[in-house]
Every structure is written in structure tokens, then in C-alpha cells.
Coordinates of all heavy atoms in Angstrom, one line a residue:
M1 N -59.3 128.5 -107.7 CA -59.4 127.4 -106.7 C -58.7 126.2 -107.2 O -59.0 125.7 -108.3 CB -60.8 127.2 -106.3 CG -61.0 126.2 -105.2 SD -62.8 126.1 -104.8 CE -62.7 124.6 -103.9
A2 N -57.9 125.6 -106.4 CA -57.2 124.4 -106.7 C -58.1 123.2 -106.8 O -59.0 123.0 -105.9 CB -56.1 124.1 -105.7
K3 N -57.9 122.3 -107.7 CA -58.6 121.1 -107.9 C -57.6 119.9 -107.7 O -56.4 120.1 -107.9 CB -59.3 121.0 -109.2 CG -60.4 121.9 -109.4 CD -61.1 121.7 -110.7 CE -62.3 122.6 -110.7 NZ -63.2 122.3 -111.8
R4 N -58.1 118.7 -107.4 CA -57.2 117.6 -107.3 C -57.8 116.4 -108.1 O -59.0 116.3 -108.1 CB -57.1 117.2 -105.8 CG -56.1 116.1 -105.6 CD -55.9 115.8 -104.1 NE -54.7 115.0 -103.8 CZ -53.5 115.4 -103.6 NH1 -53.2 116.7 -103.6 NH2 -52.5 114.5 -103.4
V5 N -56.9 115.7 -108.8 CA -57.3 114.6 -109.5 C -56.5 113.3 -109.1 O -55.4 113.5 -108.7 CB -57.2 114.8 -111.1 CG1 -58.1 115.9 -111.5 CG2 -55.7 115.1 -111.4
S6 N -57.1 112.2 -109.3 CA -56.3 110.9 -109.3 C -56.2 110.4 -110.7 O -57.0 110.7 -111.5 CB -57.0 109.9 -108.4 OG -58.2 109.5 -109.0
F7 N -55.1 109.7 -110.9 CA -54.9 109.1 -112.3 C -54.3 107.8 -112.2 O -53.5 107.5 -111.2 CB -54.1 110.1 -113.1 CG -52.7 110.4 -112.6 CD1 -51.6 109.6 -112.8 CD2 -52.5 111.6 -111.8 CE1 -50.3 109.9 -112.3 CE2 -51.2 111.9 -111.3 CZ -50.2 111.0 -111.6
T8 N -54.6 106.9 -113.1 CA -54.0 105.6 -113.3 C -53.7 105.5 -114.8 O -54.6 105.7 -115.6 CB -55.0 104.5 -112.9 OG1 -55.4 104.7 -111.5 CG2 -54.3 103.1 -113.0
V9 N -52.5 105.1 -115.1 CA -52.0 105.0 -116.4 C -51.7 103.5 -116.7 O -51.0 102.9 -116.0 CB -50.8 105.8 -116.7 CG1 -50.5 105.8 -118.2 CG2 -50.9 107.2 -116.2
H10 N -52.3 102.9 -117.7 CA -52.2 101.5 -118.1 C -51.4 101.4 -119.4 O -51.4 102.3 -120.3 CB -53.6 100.9 -118.4 CG -54.6 101.0 -117.3 ND1 -55.0 100.0 -116.6 CD2 -55.3 102.1 -116.9 CE1 -55.9 100.4 -115.7 NE2 -56.1 101.7 -115.8
G11 N -50.6 100.4 -119.5 CA -49.8 100.1 -120.7 C -48.4 99.8 -120.4 O -48.1 99.3 -119.3
T12 N -47.5 100.1 -121.3 CA -46.0 100.0 -121.0 C -45.6 101.3 -120.4 O -45.2 102.3 -121.0 CB -45.3 99.8 -122.3 OG1 -45.8 98.6 -123.0 CG2 -43.8 99.5 -122.0
V13 N -45.7 101.3 -119.0 CA -45.5 102.6 -118.3 C -44.5 102.4 -117.1 O -44.2 103.4 -116.4 CB -46.8 103.2 -117.8 CG1 -47.7 103.6 -118.9 CG2 -47.6 102.2 -116.9
Q14 N -44.0 101.2 -116.9 CA -42.9 101.0 -115.9 C -41.6 100.6 -116.7 O -41.6 100.0 -117.7 CB -43.3 99.9 -115.0 CG -44.5 100.3 -114.0 CD -44.7 99.3 -112.9 OE1 -44.0 98.4 -112.7 NE2 -45.8 99.5 -112.2
G15 N -40.5 101.1 -116.1 CA -39.2 100.9 -116.7 C -38.9 101.8 -117.9 O -38.0 101.5 -118.7
V16 N -39.7 102.8 -118.1 CA -39.6 103.8 -119.2 C -39.5 105.2 -118.7 O -39.7 106.2 -119.4 CB -40.7 103.6 -120.2 CG1 -40.7 102.3 -120.9 CG2 -42.1 103.9 -119.6
C17 N -39.1 105.4 -117.4 CA -39.0 106.8 -116.8 C -40.3 107.5 -116.7 O -40.3 108.8 -116.7 CB -37.9 107.6 -117.5 SG -36.3 106.9 -117.4
F18 N -41.5 106.8 -116.6 CA -42.8 107.5 -116.6 C -43.0 108.3 -115.4 O -43.5 109.4 -115.4 CB -43.9 106.4 -116.7 CG -45.2 107.0 -117.3 CD1 -45.5 106.8 -118.6 CD2 -46.0 107.8 -116.5 CE1 -46.6 107.3 -119.2 CE2 -47.2 108.3 -117.1 CZ -47.5 108.1 -118.4
R19 N -42.5 107.8 -114.2 CA -42.7 108.6 -113.0 C -41.9 109.9 -113.0 O -42.4 110.9 -112.6 CB -42.3 107.7 -111.7 CG -43.3 106.6 -111.5 CD -42.8 105.7 -110.4 NE -41.5 105.1 -110.7 CZ -40.7 104.7 -109.7 NH1 -41.0 104.7 -108.5 NH2 -39.5 104.2 -110.1
D20 N -40.7 109.8 -113.4 CA -39.8 111.0 -113.5 C -40.4 112.0 -114.5 O -40.4 113.2 -114.3 CB -38.4 110.7 -113.8 CG -37.5 111.8 -113.6 OD1 -37.5 112.4 -112.6 OD2 -36.7 112.1 -114.6
F21 N -40.9 111.5 -115.7 CA -41.5 112.3 -116.7 C -42.7 113.0 -116.1 O -42.9 114.3 -116.2 CB -42.0 111.4 -117.8 CG -42.9 112.0 -118.8 CD1 -42.4 112.7 -119.9 CD2 -44.3 111.8 -118.7 CE1 -43.3 113.3 -120.8 CE2 -45.2 112.4 -119.6 CZ -44.7 113.1 -120.7
T22 N -43.5 112.3 -115.3 CA -44.7 112.9 -114.7 C -44.3 113.9 -113.7 O -44.9 115.0 -113.6 CB -45.6 111.8 -114.0 OG1 -45.9 110.8 -115.0 CG2 -46.8 112.3 -113.4
R23 N -43.3 113.7 -112.8 CA -42.9 114.6 -111.8 C -42.4 115.9 -112.5 O -42.8 117.0 -112.1 CB -41.8 114.0 -111.0 CG -41.3 115.0 -109.9 CD -40.0 114.5 -109.2 NE -38.9 114.2 -110.1 CZ -38.1 115.2 -110.7 NH1 -38.3 116.4 -110.4 NH2 -37.2 114.8 -111.5
K24 N -41.6 115.8 -113.5 CA -41.1 117.0 -114.2 C -42.2 117.8 -114.8 O -42.2 119.0 -114.7 CB -40.1 116.6 -115.3 CG -38.8 116.1 -114.8 CD -37.8 115.6 -115.9 CE -36.5 115.1 -115.3 NZ -35.6 114.6 -116.3
K25 N -43.1 117.2 -115.5 CA -44.3 117.9 -116.1 C -45.1 118.6 -115.0 O -45.4 119.7 -115.2 CB -45.1 116.9 -117.0 CG -44.4 116.4 -118.2 CD -44.2 117.5 -119.2 CE -43.6 116.9 -120.5 NZ -43.5 118.0 -121.5
A26 N -45.5 117.8 -114.0 CA -46.3 118.4 -112.9 C -45.6 119.6 -112.3 O -46.2 120.6 -112.0 CB -46.6 117.3 -111.9
T27 N -44.3 119.4 -112.0 CA -43.6 120.5 -111.3 C -43.5 121.7 -112.2 O -43.7 122.9 -111.8 CB -42.2 120.0 -111.0 OG1 -42.3 118.9 -110.1 CG2 -41.4 121.1 -110.3
S28 N -43.4 121.5 -113.5 CA -43.3 122.7 -114.5 C -44.6 123.4 -114.5 O -44.7 124.6 -114.9 CB -42.9 122.2 -115.9 OG -43.9 121.5 -116.5
Y29 N -45.7 122.7 -114.2 CA -47.0 123.4 -114.2 C -47.4 123.9 -112.8 O -48.6 124.4 -112.7 CB -48.1 122.4 -114.7 CG -47.9 121.8 -116.1 CD1 -48.2 120.5 -116.4 CD2 -47.4 122.6 -117.1 CE1 -48.0 120.0 -117.6 CE2 -47.2 122.1 -118.4 CZ -47.5 120.8 -118.6 OH -47.3 120.3 -119.9
G30 N -46.6 123.7 -111.9 CA -46.9 124.2 -110.5 C -47.8 123.3 -109.7 O -48.5 123.8 -108.8
L31 N -47.9 122.1 -110.1 CA -48.8 121.1 -109.4 C -48.1 120.5 -108.2 O -46.9 120.3 -108.2 CB -49.3 120.1 -110.4 CG -50.0 120.5 -111.6 CD1 -50.3 119.4 -112.6 CD2 -51.3 121.2 -111.2
T32 N -48.9 120.0 -107.3 CA -48.4 119.2 -106.2 C -49.0 117.9 -106.2 O -50.0 117.7 -106.9 CB -48.7 119.9 -104.8 OG1 -50.2 120.0 -104.7 CG2 -48.1 121.3 -104.7
G33 N -48.4 116.9 -105.5 CA -49.0 115.6 -105.5 C -47.9 114.5 -105.5 O -46.8 114.7 -105.0
F34 N -48.3 113.3 -106.1 CA -47.3 112.2 -106.1 C -47.6 111.3 -107.3 O -48.7 111.3 -107.8 CB -47.4 111.4 -104.8 CG -48.7 110.7 -104.6 CD1 -48.8 109.4 -105.1 CD2 -49.8 111.3 -104.0 CE1 -50.0 108.7 -104.9 CE2 -51.0 110.6 -103.8 CZ -51.1 109.3 -104.3
V35 N -46.6 110.5 -107.6 CA -46.8 109.4 -108.6 C -46.0 108.2 -108.1 O -45.0 108.3 -107.5 CB -46.3 109.9 -110.0 CG1 -44.8 110.2 -110.0 CG2 -46.6 108.9 -111.1
R36 N -46.5 107.0 -108.4 CA -45.9 105.8 -108.0 C -46.2 104.6 -108.9 O -47.2 104.7 -109.6 CB -46.3 105.4 -106.5 CG -47.8 105.1 -106.4 CD -48.1 104.7 -105.0 NE -49.5 104.6 -104.8 CZ -50.2 103.5 -105.1 NH1 -49.7 102.4 -105.5 NH2 -51.6 103.4 -104.9
N37 N -45.4 103.6 -108.9 CA -45.7 102.4 -109.7 C -46.6 101.5 -108.8 O -46.5 101.6 -107.6 CB -44.4 101.6 -109.9 CG -43.6 102.2 -111.1 OD1 -44.1 102.9 -111.9 ND2 -42.3 101.9 -111.1
T38 N -47.4 100.7 -109.4 CA -48.2 99.7 -108.7 C -47.6 98.3 -109.0 O -46.9 98.1 -109.9 CB -49.6 99.8 -109.2 OG1 -49.7 99.4 -110.5 CG2 -50.2 101.2 -109.0
S39 N -48.0 97.4 -108.2 CA -47.5 96.0 -108.3 C -48.1 95.3 -109.5 O -47.5 94.3 -109.9 CB -47.8 95.2 -107.0 OG -49.2 95.2 -106.8
D40 N -49.1 95.9 -110.1 CA -49.7 95.2 -111.3 C -49.3 95.9 -112.6 O -50.0 95.8 -113.6 CB -51.2 95.2 -111.2 CG -51.9 96.5 -111.0 OD1 -51.2 97.5 -110.9 OD2 -53.1 96.6 -110.9
G41 N -48.2 96.7 -112.6 CA -47.7 97.2 -113.8 C -48.2 98.6 -114.3 O -47.9 99.0 -115.4
K42 N -49.0 99.2 -113.4 CA -49.6 100.5 -113.8 C -48.8 101.7 -113.1 O -47.9 101.4 -112.2 CB -51.0 100.6 -113.3 CG -51.9 99.6 -114.0 CD -53.3 99.7 -113.5 CE -54.2 98.6 -114.1 NZ -54.3 97.5 -113.2
V43 N -49.1 102.9 -113.4 CA -48.6 104.1 -112.7 C -49.8 104.8 -112.2 O -50.8 105.0 -112.9 CB -47.7 105.0 -113.6 CG1 -47.5 106.3 -113.0 CG2 -46.4 104.3 -114.0
K44 N -49.8 105.1 -110.9 CA -50.9 105.8 -110.2 C -50.4 107.1 -109.6 O -49.2 107.1 -109.2 CB -51.6 104.9 -109.2 CG -52.4 103.8 -109.7 CD -53.2 103.1 -108.6 CE -54.1 102.1 -109.3 NZ -55.2 101.7 -108.3
G45 N -51.3 108.0 -109.3 CA -50.9 109.2 -108.6 C -52.0 110.2 -108.4 O -53.2 109.9 -108.8
E46 N -51.7 111.3 -107.8 CA -52.6 112.4 -107.6 C -51.9 113.7 -107.9 O -50.7 113.8 -107.6 CB -53.2 112.4 -106.1 CG -53.9 111.1 -105.8 CD -54.5 111.2 -104.3 OE1 -54.3 112.2 -103.6 OE2 -55.0 110.1 -103.9
A47 N -52.7 114.6 -108.4 CA -52.1 115.9 -108.7 C -53.1 117.0 -108.3 O -54.3 116.8 -108.5 CB -51.8 116.1 -110.2
Q48 N -52.6 118.1 -107.8 CA -53.4 119.2 -107.4 C -52.9 120.6 -107.9 O -51.7 120.8 -107.9 CB -53.5 119.2 -105.9 CG -54.4 120.3 -105.3 CD -54.6 120.1 -103.8 OE1 -55.1 119.0 -103.4 NE2 -54.3 121.0 -103.0
G49 N -53.8 121.4 -108.4 CA -53.5 122.7 -108.8 C -54.6 123.3 -109.7 O -55.7 122.9 -109.6
E50 N -54.2 124.3 -110.5 CA -55.2 125.0 -111.3 C -55.7 124.0 -112.4 O -55.0 123.2 -112.9 CB -54.6 126.2 -111.9 CG -54.2 127.3 -110.9 CD -55.4 127.7 -110.0 OE1 -56.5 128.0 -110.6 OE2 -55.2 127.8 -108.8
E51 N -57.0 124.2 -112.8 CA -57.6 123.4 -113.8 C -56.9 123.3 -115.1 O -56.7 122.2 -115.7 CB -59.1 123.8 -114.0 CG -59.8 122.8 -114.8 CD -61.3 123.2 -114.9 OE1 -61.8 124.1 -114.2 OE2 -62.1 122.4 -115.6
D52 N -56.4 124.4 -115.6 CA -55.7 124.5 -116.9 C -54.4 123.6 -116.8 O -54.0 122.9 -117.7 CB -55.3 125.9 -117.3 CG -56.5 126.7 -117.8 OD1 -57.6 126.1 -118.1 OD2 -56.4 127.9 -117.9
S53 N -53.7 123.7 -115.7 CA -52.5 122.9 -115.5 C -52.8 121.4 -115.4 O -52.0 120.6 -115.9 CB -51.7 123.4 -114.2 OG -51.3 124.7 -114.3
L54 N -53.9 121.1 -114.8 CA -54.3 119.7 -114.7 C -54.6 119.1 -116.1 O -54.3 118.0 -116.4 CB -55.5 119.5 -113.7 CG -55.1 119.7 -112.2 CD1 -56.4 119.8 -111.4 CD2 -54.2 118.7 -111.7
K55 N -55.3 120.0 -116.9 CA -55.6 119.6 -118.3 C -54.3 119.3 -119.1 O -54.2 118.4 -119.9 CB -56.5 120.6 -119.0 CG -57.9 120.6 -118.5 CD -58.7 121.7 -119.2 CE -60.1 121.7 -118.7 NZ -60.9 122.8 -119.3
K56 N -53.3 120.2 -118.9 CA -52.0 120.0 -119.6 C -51.4 118.7 -119.1 O -50.9 117.9 -120.0 CB -51.1 121.1 -119.3 CG -51.5 122.4 -120.0 CD -50.5 123.5 -119.6 CE -51.0 124.9 -120.1 NZ -50.1 126.0 -119.6
L57 N -51.4 118.4 -117.8 CA -50.8 117.2 -117.3 C -51.6 115.9 -117.9 O -50.9 115.0 -118.3 CB -50.8 117.1 -115.8 CG -50.2 115.9 -115.2 CD1 -48.7 115.8 -115.5 CD2 -50.5 115.8 -113.7
K58 N -52.9 116.0 -118.0 CA -53.7 114.9 -118.5 C -53.2 114.6 -120.0 O -53.0 113.4 -120.3 CB -55.1 115.3 -118.5 CG -56.0 114.1 -119.0 CD -57.5 114.5 -119.0 CE -58.4 113.4 -119.4 NZ -59.8 113.7 -119.4
G59 N -53.0 115.6 -120.8 CA -52.5 115.4 -122.1 C -51.1 114.8 -122.1 O -50.9 113.9 -122.9
D60 N -50.3 115.2 -121.2 CA -48.9 114.6 -121.1 C -49.0 113.2 -120.7 O -48.2 112.3 -121.3 CB -48.1 115.4 -120.1 CG -47.7 116.8 -120.6 OD1 -47.6 117.0 -121.8 OD2 -47.6 117.7 -119.7
L61 N -49.9 112.8 -119.8 CA -50.0 111.4 -119.3 C -50.5 110.5 -120.4 O -50.1 109.4 -120.5 CB -50.9 111.4 -118.1 CG -50.4 112.1 -116.8 CD1 -51.4 112.0 -115.7 CD2 -49.1 111.4 -116.4
N62 N -51.4 111.1 -121.3 CA -51.9 110.3 -122.4 C -50.8 109.9 -123.4 O -50.8 108.9 -124.0 CB -53.0 111.0 -123.1 CG -54.4 110.6 -122.8 OD1 -54.6 109.4 -122.6 ND2 -55.3 111.5 -122.6
E63 N -49.8 110.8 -123.5 CA -48.6 110.5 -124.4 C -47.5 109.8 -123.7 O -47.0 108.8 -124.2 CB -48.1 111.9 -124.9 CG -49.0 112.6 -125.8 CD -49.3 111.9 -127.1 OE1 -48.3 111.3 -127.7 OE2 -50.5 111.9 -127.5
G64 N -47.1 110.2 -122.5 CA -46.0 109.6 -121.8 C -44.7 109.9 -122.4 O -44.6 110.6 -123.5
P65 N -43.6 109.4 -121.8 CA -42.3 109.6 -122.4 C -42.1 108.8 -123.7 O -43.0 107.9 -123.9 CB -41.3 109.2 -121.3 CG -42.1 108.3 -120.5 CD -43.5 108.7 -120.5
R66 N -41.1 109.0 -124.4 CA -40.9 108.4 -125.7 C -41.0 106.8 -125.7 O -41.7 106.2 -126.6 CB -39.6 108.8 -126.3 CG -39.3 108.4 -127.7 CD -38.0 108.8 -128.2 NE -37.4 109.9 -127.4 CZ -37.0 111.1 -127.9 NH1 -37.2 111.3 -129.2 NH2 -36.5 112.0 -127.2
A67 N -40.5 106.2 -124.7 CA -40.5 104.7 -124.6 C -41.8 104.1 -124.1 O -41.9 102.9 -124.2 CB -39.3 104.2 -123.8
A68 N -42.7 104.9 -123.6 CA -43.9 104.4 -123.0 C -45.0 104.1 -124.2 O -44.9 104.7 -125.2 CB -44.5 105.4 -122.1
H69 N -45.9 103.3 -123.8 CA -47.1 103.0 -124.7 C -48.3 103.0 -123.8 O -48.6 102.1 -123.1 CB -46.9 101.7 -125.4 CG -48.1 101.4 -126.3 ND1 -48.4 102.1 -127.5 CD2 -49.1 100.5 -126.2 CE1 -49.5 101.6 -128.0 NE2 -49.9 100.7 -127.2
V70 N -49.0 104.2 -123.8 CA -50.2 104.3 -122.9 C -51.4 103.7 -123.7 O -51.7 104.1 -124.8 CB -50.4 105.8 -122.6 CG1 -51.7 106.0 -121.8 CG2 -49.2 106.4 -121.8
V71 N -52.1 102.8 -123.1 CA -53.3 102.2 -123.7 C -54.6 102.7 -123.0 O -55.6 102.7 -123.6 CB -53.2 100.7 -123.7 CG1 -52.1 100.2 -124.5 CG2 -53.2 100.1 -122.3
K72 N -54.5 103.2 -121.8 CA -55.6 103.7 -121.1 C -55.2 104.7 -120.0 O -54.2 104.5 -119.3 CB -56.4 102.6 -120.5 CG -57.7 103.0 -119.8 CD -58.4 101.8 -119.2 CE -59.6 102.1 -118.4 NZ -60.2 101.0 -117.8
L73 N -56.0 105.8 -119.8 CA -55.7 106.7 -118.8 C -57.0 107.0 -118.0 O -58.0 107.4 -118.6 CB -55.2 108.1 -119.3 CG -55.1 109.2 -118.3 CD1 -54.1 108.9 -117.2 CD2 -54.8 110.5 -119.0
E74 N -57.0 106.7 -116.7 CA -58.2 107.0 -115.9 C -57.8 108.3 -115.1 O -56.7 108.4 -114.6 CB -58.4 105.9 -114.9 CG -58.8 104.6 -115.5 CD -58.8 103.4 -114.5 OE1 -59.7 103.6 -113.5 OE2 -58.1 102.5 -114.6
F75 N -58.7 109.3 -115.2 CA -58.4 110.6 -114.7 C -59.7 111.2 -114.1 O -60.7 111.4 -114.8 CB -57.9 111.5 -115.8 CG -57.2 112.7 -115.5 CD1 -55.8 112.6 -115.3 CD2 -57.8 113.9 -115.4 CE1 -55.0 113.8 -115.0 CE2 -57.0 115.1 -115.2 CZ -55.7 115.0 -115.0
K76 N -59.7 111.3 -112.7 CA -61.0 111.8 -112.1 C -60.7 112.8 -111.0 O -59.7 112.7 -110.3 CB -61.8 110.6 -111.6 CG -61.2 109.8 -110.5 CD -62.2 108.7 -110.1 CE -61.5 108.0 -108.9 NZ -62.4 106.9 -108.4
E77 N -61.7 113.7 -110.8 CA -61.5 114.7 -109.7 C -61.8 114.1 -108.4 O -62.8 113.2 -108.3 CB -62.5 115.9 -110.0 CG -62.2 117.0 -109.1 CD -63.0 118.3 -109.5 OE1 -63.3 118.4 -110.7 OE2 -63.2 119.1 -108.6
I78 N -61.0 114.4 -107.4 CA -61.2 114.0 -106.0 C -61.1 115.2 -105.1 O -60.9 116.3 -105.5 CB -60.2 112.9 -105.6 CG1 -58.7 113.4 -105.8 CG2 -60.4 111.6 -106.5 CD1 -57.7 112.5 -105.3
D79 N -61.3 115.0 -103.8 CA -61.2 116.0 -102.8 C -59.8 116.6 -102.7 O -58.8 115.8 -102.7 CB -61.6 115.6 -101.4 CG -63.1 115.3 -101.4 OD1 -63.9 115.8 -102.2 OD2 -63.5 114.5 -100.5
S80 N -59.6 117.9 -102.6 CA -58.3 118.6 -102.4 C -57.7 118.2 -101.1 O -58.4 117.8 -100.1 CB -58.5 120.1 -102.5 OG -59.0 120.4 -103.8
K81 N -56.4 118.4 -101.0 CA -55.7 118.1 -99.8 C -54.9 119.4 -99.4 O -54.4 120.1 -100.3 CB -54.7 117.0 -99.9 CG -55.4 115.6 -100.0 CD -54.4 114.5 -100.1 CE -55.0 113.2 -100.3 NZ -54.1 112.1 -100.4
D82 N -54.7 119.7 -98.1 CA -53.9 120.8 -97.7 C -52.5 120.3 -97.3 O -52.4 119.1 -96.9 CB -54.6 121.4 -96.5 CG -55.9 122.1 -96.8 OD1 -56.0 122.6 -98.0 OD2 -56.8 122.2 -95.9
G83 N -51.6 121.2 -97.3 CA -50.2 120.9 -96.8 C -49.2 120.4 -97.7 O -48.1 120.2 -97.3
E84 N -49.5 120.2 -99.0 CA -48.5 119.7 -99.9 C -47.7 120.9 -100.5 O -48.3 122.0 -100.7 CB -49.2 119.0 -101.1 CG -49.6 117.6 -100.8 CD -50.2 116.9 -102.1 OE1 -50.7 117.6 -102.9 OE2 -50.1 115.7 -102.1
S85 N -46.4 120.7 -100.7 CA -45.6 121.8 -101.2 C -44.9 121.4 -102.5 O -44.2 122.2 -103.1 CB -44.7 122.3 -100.2 OG -43.8 121.2 -99.8
S86 N -45.0 120.1 -102.9 CA -44.2 119.7 -104.1 C -44.9 118.5 -104.7 O -45.9 117.9 -104.2 CB -42.8 119.3 -103.7 OG -42.8 118.2 -102.8
F87 N -44.3 118.0 -105.8 CA -44.8 116.8 -106.5 C -43.7 115.8 -106.4 O -42.6 116.1 -106.8 CB -45.1 117.1 -108.0 CG -45.9 116.0 -108.6 CD1 -47.3 116.1 -108.7 CD2 -45.3 114.9 -109.1 CE1 -48.0 115.1 -109.3 CE2 -46.0 113.8 -109.7 CZ -47.4 114.0 -109.8
I88 N -44.0 114.6 -105.8 CA -42.9 113.6 -105.5 C -43.2 112.3 -106.2 O -44.3 112.0 -106.5 CB -42.8 113.4 -104.0 CG1 -44.1 112.8 -103.4 CG2 -42.3 114.7 -103.3 CD1 -43.9 112.3 -102.0
V89 N -42.1 111.6 -106.4 CA -42.1 110.2 -106.8 C -42.1 109.4 -105.6 O -41.1 109.5 -104.8 CB -40.9 109.8 -107.8 CG1 -40.9 108.4 -108.1 CG2 -41.0 110.7 -109.0
S90 N -43.1 108.5 -105.3 CA -43.1 107.7 -104.1 C -43.0 106.2 -104.4 O -43.0 105.8 -105.5 CB -44.3 108.0 -103.3 OG -45.5 107.7 -103.9

């Protein structure tokens, strides 16, 4: 059964290709959802899929791309959504 999580990444996460990194990782794990920058310098998003894939994505978000510096990751389960077919950068 698919689960859905929301995530917020704090630190040096804008201007370092974090959204594209997240999209590529999520897509490689077969996840759907979205990722976006926030006006206060964070990256937020939601991802949906199998629990093991979500755990892998969580590990990736904690590391980020090479130029990023993640200082905090908020990651929590939320209600699933129907109708998504891909993971997008919004």
C-alpha cells in the first residue's frame, strides 16, 4: 500500500540543484509527488509510494546534492492522494 509523506529541508538548499536532485531520486524509486522552493529559503515537497522507497528518499534528502548543506529534515506521513503519475518540480 502506498504511503505519502511531506518533507521540509532546511539549510543551504536553494541554488544548489536540490529540487532537480530530489526529482531524479524520487523518479528512480518510482515515487510520485512534487518539490518546490519556499520564499524563506527551504525546500518543501510531498512524495508517495512504497515505504522502502520513501525511506531511501529520506536518506537522500538528508544528504542532498554535493553543494547542499542540510541542517534539518522534517519528514512526516500524511494522507495519500489519488491521480498522480509523476514527480514534478513546481
Side-chain angles (χ1 to χ4, degrees):
M1 183 174 163
K3 293 188 174 188
R4 189 174 189 91
V5 296
S6 69
F7 58 87
T8 304
V9 190
H10 305 251
T12 306
V13 294
Q14 290 190 9
V16 294
C17 298
F18 205 101
R19 292 176 299 158
D20 192 50
F21 168 86
T22 303
R23 181 190 55 78
K24 286 178 182 176
K25 293 292 186 177
T27 300
S28 75
Y29 301 141
L31 300 172
T32 61
F34 68 90
V35 62
R36 64 179 172 84
N37 284 338
T38 65
S39 60
D40 59 357
K42 299 178 185 92
V43 169
K44 288 189 172 196
E46 296 180 5
Q48 183 166 301
E50 296 302 316
E51 188 171 359
D52 287 346
S53 296
L54 292 169
K55 285 180 183 178
K56 289 178 187 176
L57 181 65
K58 182 178 182 180
D60 293 330
L61 294 175
N62 259 320
E63 293 294 318
R66 191 179 337 237
H69 178 70
V70 177
V71 296
K72 181 179 175 185
L73 172 63
E74 298 173 60
F75 200 84
K76 66 179 182 178
E77 191 170 335
I78 59 174
D79 291 336
S80 297
K81 292 184 181 177
D82 293 330
E84 283 182 330
S85 60
S86 62
F87 195 95
I88 61 166
V89 174
S90 63

